[in-house]
Amino acid sequence: MDLALGENLGITTGIALSYPAMTKLLASFVALAIFAAVARGQPAVSLLIDDGYPSTGSINLVPILADVVAKKGTFHFGSTYDTYEADQAWSTSTFGTFYRHVVSENGCKWDATEPTQGVSDLGECLATQSFATENGNTFRGHNTFWHSQTPSWLPGSFSASELVDTIIPQHVQQEIQGMGASVTSWDVVNEVVGDGVSNGMTALQCVQNKGDWPTVTADGSGQPLVTDLSFIYAAFNTAYEYAGSSTRLAVNDYNTGGQDAKTSCVISLIQNIQENTNIPYDRLAIGFQSHLTASTGGFYTKQALASTFSTLAALGVSAMITEMDIEVASDSTAYLRYQAAIWGDYLDACLYASNCFEFINWDPRDDLSWRGAAAAATLFDTNGNPKPAAYEVAARLQNYAAGKAEPCATSSGTSVCTITGTGVTTTGPTTTTTTTTSSSSGPTGCVSAEYGQCGGIGWTGCTACASGTTCQDLNAYYFQCLA
């Protein structure tokens, strides 16, 4: 599991931590203190689910995703899963109708797959892959090299040459060869770029800035160990040799996606890997983890993501959203709508890019989230019910599949981005028609709070709005109390 809190367009919260395991596995790890960015308020946002797309009921993405694939060629939409998750019945149902692509959250990491040096144990990794296959899902691999969640015999006191020439290639071969050619992509190296990087650094400097094993020893002394990028080349060369012919091989990292130093470093690293391994660019990828917060500076804009994805497309490199979750300050309607808008913007950035074919949501529901249930960071609540973001995701997929134009950046707020009743989006200052009545009558004396529904076809609830807000006609089916 991986953590990133709040870097957007070069602005960071100052906190960028790697979380060594899911909370359910913390008994064998030292807990880290995670400080969420303090939200500075949330804008009123415009969503497709305000514009005629379903916002209640069950969601079946199977036919919608089939239409997306028909239009895009390839697209995988899914989430994490491990066989020991609670509520297996819910998992089976949801990975049958909503998530259609599986990543093992912990079962394919080094500690699980090679607990004893030289002895491969792919039991949990293969079991997760089998779950995917049984439910009609595809499967991606995470990960073959990470400085965290290593087995007890690592880091050990091995020399640089032992790591580069034997230990890393042996592990990568055992895992990738053992999992077979059908894996859609692998995170070959995970979180290898530092958080203190600056523009103009070389790929080596970007990795050395991380300050973690194996560029330094694991004893905290800062003593150099592997002094070049040979450990990364060893991992990629081996992965390329044993992976399927269409499997994409990724560098996966957090706090990336925009026009900033760390994203530039990751792009520089993928170019360096290609130059030193001769792996074709069309087999390489960058995974943008996208652990976000619904707050100013807590996510990248759609425009920033689109620009970065375009840069990679020019190289022939794939872009992937690999670990999407969005922490909210509260589970109020306003924050859940803000979360839905951000989710929708990230999904759009991937859908409408020519080189983005995988979108992974990290943890399928709030009570399974590594960020804690209170963070409400996933698409389904603690009872397994879809949240507004889940409905918005379905709407964005359906909008794309129907060949409609890309919506504007709805997370920017209605002052700059509004979805109209025709499905066309507008940017810039907008004027919204307000109304004090609806097409149905509501209870006398009843008042809807800000962001609450106040009218629309079939609406039988409150039609009056709280002081300071008015009932605004967003579409024939949904009027909302807005300031």
Side-chain angles (χ1 to χ4, degrees):
M1 188 57 253
D2 322 303
L3 166 64
L5 291 178
E7 183 178 270
N8 185 26
L9 304 180
I11 302 172
T12 177
T13 60
I15 303 170
L17 306 173
S18 293
Y19 191 62
M22 279 281 292
T23 51
K24 64 176 76 73
L25 299 179
L26 281 179
S28 58
F29 296 93
V30 178
L32 299 178
I34 303 172
F35 300 92
V38 177
R40 304 175 190 172
Q42 68 289 331
V45 296
S46 179
L47 301 174
L48 284 182
I49 57 173
D50 302 333
D51 193 46
Y53 288 89
S55 59
T56 60
S58 60
I59 306 173
N60 184 4
L61 289 186
V62 175
I64 298 172
L65 287 170
D67 290 341
V68 170
V69 171
K71 179 176 173 59
K72 195 171 176 67
T74 300
F75 190 71
H76 305 286
F77 177 86
S79 188
T80 53
Y81 170 82
D82 285 316
T83 62
Y84 44 78
E85 303 282 14
D87 200 348
Q88 287 292 311
W90 181 88
S91 293
T92 298
S93 173
T94 308
F95 280 91
T97 58
F98 188 87
Y99 301 119
R100 304 296 292 154
H101 191 44
V102 171
V103 182
S104 178
E105 183 156 9
N106 292 288
C108 298
K109 292 174 181 173
W110 205 335
D111 59 343
T113 55
E114 195 181 355
T116 302
Q117 185 181 0
V119 180
S120 181
D121 182 358
L122 299 178
E124 176 62 21
C125 195
L126 285 167
T128 307
Q129 186 183 48
S130 294
F131 172 85
T133 302
E134 290 164 3
N135 288 283
N137 286 216
T138 45
F139 181 83
R140 88 176 293 263
H142 173 81
N143 54 63
T144 64
F145 179 88
W146 187 24
H147 66 273
S148 188
Q149 277 186 255
T150 53
S152 60
W153 56 275
L154 284 175
S157 56
F158 299 101
S159 67
S161 60
E162 286 176 303
L163 288 171
V164 172
D165 298 335
T166 303
I167 292 173
I168 290 174
Q170 181 182 58
H171 173 69
V172 175
Q173 177 185 346
Q174 288 175 337
E175 183 160 16
I176 289 185
Q177 189 175 39
M179 295 306 297
S182 66
V183 180
T184 61
S185 62
W186 277 100
D187 290 329
V188 179
V189 296
N190 192 53
E191 298 181 4
V192 292
V193 171
D195 298 307
V197 296
S198 58
N199 287 317
M201 281 186 170
T202 66
L204 176 60
Q205 289 171 330
C206 292
V207 173
Q208 289 177 329
N209 179 266
K210 182 74 175 179
D212 274 314
W213 176 83
T215 60
V216 294
T217 58
D219 58 8
S221 66
Q223 181 70 27
L225 184 55
V226 181
T227 58
D228 54 20
L229 296 179
S230 58
F231 75 100
I232 293 178
Y233 305 150
F236 269 88
N237 275 322
T238 308
Y240 181 63
E241 181 177 356
Y242 292 99
S245 60
S246 62
T247 300
R248 290 178 171 87
L249 309 174
V251 172
N252 191 50
D253 223 317
Y254 60 91
N255 279 0
T256 54
Q259 288 66 64
D260 52 61
K262 187 166 184 181
T263 304
S264 294
C265 269
V266 176
I267 294 173
S268 176
L269 178 58
I270 208 74
Q271 291 176 293
N272 183 282
I273 290 168
Q274 196 284 324
E275 291 166 1
N276 287 276
T277 64
N278 291 318
I279 298 172
Y281 270 130
D282 63 5
R283 292 291 306 282
L284 297 174
I286 292 178
F288 299 94
Q289 289 185 9
S290 307
H291 296 298
L292 312 174
T293 57
S295 62
T296 303
F299 59 94
Y300 289 103
T301 65
K302 187 194 288 194
Q303 181 180 9
L305 290 168
S307 178
T308 296
F309 292 1
S310 179
T311 297
L312 293 178
L315 292 173
V317 174
S318 292
M320 304 174 179
I321 302 297
T322 54
E323 303 185 18
M324 182 86 172
D325 54 27
I326 308 173
E327 182 170 354
V328 292
S330 75
D331 62 355
S332 66
T333 298
Y335 266 112
L336 292 180
R337 286 178 56 81
Y338 192 23
Q339 181 187 60
I342 299 167
W343 226 298
D345 282 356
Y346 268 66
L347 180 56
D348 279 345
C350 183
L351 286 170
Y352 288 88
S354 65
N355 60 327
C356 187
F357 307 105
E358 295 195 51
F359 193 102
I360 306 301
N361 307 278
W362 206 253
D363 293 316
R365 51 191 272 181
D366 287 347
D367 56 323
L368 298 177
S369 174
W370 69 284
R371 300 184 80 162
T378 78
L379 292 173
F380 290 79
D381 66 20
T382 57
N383 295 314
N385 298 314
K387 294 156 61 176
Y391 292 106
E392 187 66 14
V393 158
R396 300 296 176 108
L397 289 166
Q398 192 170 355
N399 184 76
Y400 174 84
K404 295 183 180 180
E406 180 179 359
C408 60
T410 59
S411 61
S412 299
T414 53
S415 63
V416 295
C417 174
T418 303
I419 301 174
T420 71
T422 61
V424 177
T425 57
T426 60
T427 57
T430 59
T431 301
T432 305
T433 302
T434 62
T435 180
T436 56
T437 62
S438 71
S439 56
S440 57
S441 59
T444 303
C446 177
V447 175
S448 289
E450 184 177 7
Y451 305 114
Q453 186 171 356
C454 55
I457 296 173
W459 176 248
T460 58
C462 307
T463 57
C465 289
S467 177
T469 67
T470 57
C471 190
Q472 301 185 18
D473 181 354
L474 300 182
N475 61 60
Y477 295 91
Y478 192 81
F479 299 179
Q480 187 178 28
C481 293
L482 299 172

